[in-house]
Amino acid sequence: MAIQDLTPKKETIVFGHDSVVVPKYISGIAGGRTLDMDKYPLDTVQAGQVIVFNKTSNSYKPLKLKTEDEGVSYKYDTKDEQDVYVGILYRTVAKDNPAASIMTHGQINVAALPYELPADFAAAMPLIEQVKDEEAK
């Protein structure tokens, strides 16, 4: 019988622009949350992705995406009625290991976000300051 190695493997996803997308992290959801990835179409969730809480399923998930240009690019779809904005993903995570750090207070660089923010996001998340690249400090 072979011995099985149960040592956890350290996996890091490095997208050099995570710190550009979120130049200032002040606070977030303590301990992070595991994201519901059932309907997410991509293999990674990039830093700067809008995170919502679904009141029906009691789960955290990335705001859903819809395809543009015949599936070549994506943008945010409309938020479901039972979804509430909770923050921004602080660091990129893999779809198969969606342990997420969710920022609720800080600064995001809108020039580096993966997708254009929904129009109602700023009013719902007033502690997340939106700056342009040249203003980020």
Side-chain angles (χ1 to χ4, degrees):
M1 175 186 258
I3 297 176
Q4 185 178 12
D5 181 10
L6 299 176
T7 307
K9 306 293 184 254
K10 185 173 181 176
E11 179 181 338
T12 304
I13 297 174
V14 179
F15 281 89
H17 72 284
D18 283 8
S19 62
V20 175
V21 174
V22 182
K24 187 184 289 182
Y25 178 98
I26 297 173
S27 65
I29 297 175
R33 295 293 182 267
T34 300
L35 300 178
D36 176 358
M37 301 301 292
D38 284 344
K39 297 179 182 174
Y40 195 74
L42 304 173
D43 292 333
T44 58
V45 187
Q46 294 182 28
Q49 169 82 36
V50 173
I51 304 299
V52 296
F53 177 75
N54 184 282
K55 295 184 282 187
T56 303
S57 65
N58 203 30
S59 63
Y60 292 81
K61 62 183 182 176
L63 182 59
K64 63 185 175 177
L65 301 174
K66 63 181 176 181
T67 59
E68 292 187 312
D69 307 325
E70 299 170 15
V72 175
S73 62
Y74 291 88
K75 70 177 191 175
Y76 288 122
D77 202 347
T78 55
K79 180 173 63 74
D80 291 336
E81 192 174 299
Q82 64 272 18
D83 289 343
V84 177
Y85 295 121
V86 292
I88 291 286
L89 185 65
Y90 178 54
R91 293 286 181 234
T92 300
V93 297
K95 182 176 182 174
D96 61 353
N97 186 19
S101 175
I102 303 168
M103 181 180 77
T104 58
H105 187 188
Q107 193 176 72
I108 54 174
N109 180 352
V110 294
L113 290 175
Y115 316 104
E116 185 177 335
L117 289 172
D120 58 346
F121 181 81
M125 301 298 304
L127 296 178
I128 297 179
E129 180 185 9
Q130 298 177 34
V131 298
K132 290 190 171 65
D133 194 34
E134 61 275 0
E135 299 168 351
K137 10 181 165 159

